[in-house]
Amino acid sequence: MPAYVAIVPGHGARPDGWDPGASAVRQTDTGPERLDEAALVRQLAPLVLHHLMTLGVSGCIHDAPTPCHEQHPAKHYRGRVAE
């Protein structure tokens, strides 16, 4: 079976509200900028997936707006991921 990676960038939407994870403010040339872990890992996830794909590893981002298609091998594990 070929390698498959399920990327699940944690935090974000939860049944009881929004969890931004760790937060910080950094100074930029245009002023302060708020950084939330949830937003940052969602920006990094597609980059990581692209890099893995260039190495021949398949995968998907499980909480992306367009999740894995119904026949994808990872679909079987989505219930466990959701828990």
Side-chain angles (χ1 to χ4, degrees):
M1 182 178 203
Y4 177 81
V5 175
I7 299 175
V8 184
H11 297 296
R14 300 280 186 243
D16 58 343
W18 177 257
D19 178 8
S23 296
V25 176
R26 71 175 183 163
Q27 291 298 324
T28 67
D29 294 340
T30 58
E33 177 186 8
R34 181 183 169 94
L35 298 173
D36 290 331
E37 181 181 1
L40 186 59
V41 296
R42 281 187 171 75
Q43 290 173 6
L44 291 174
L47 301 174
V48 171
L49 181 59
H50 176 75
H51 181 70
L52 289 171
M53 292 173 81
T54 62
L55 297 173
V57 178
S58 64
C60 73
I61 301 169
H62 275 275
D63 64 349
T66 51
C68 300
H69 57 81
E70 289 298 323
Q71 289 75 35
H72 201 280
K75 201 70 168 176
H76 173 74
Y77 300 102
R78 291 196 79 203
R80 289 188 219 169
V81 169
E83 293 173 1

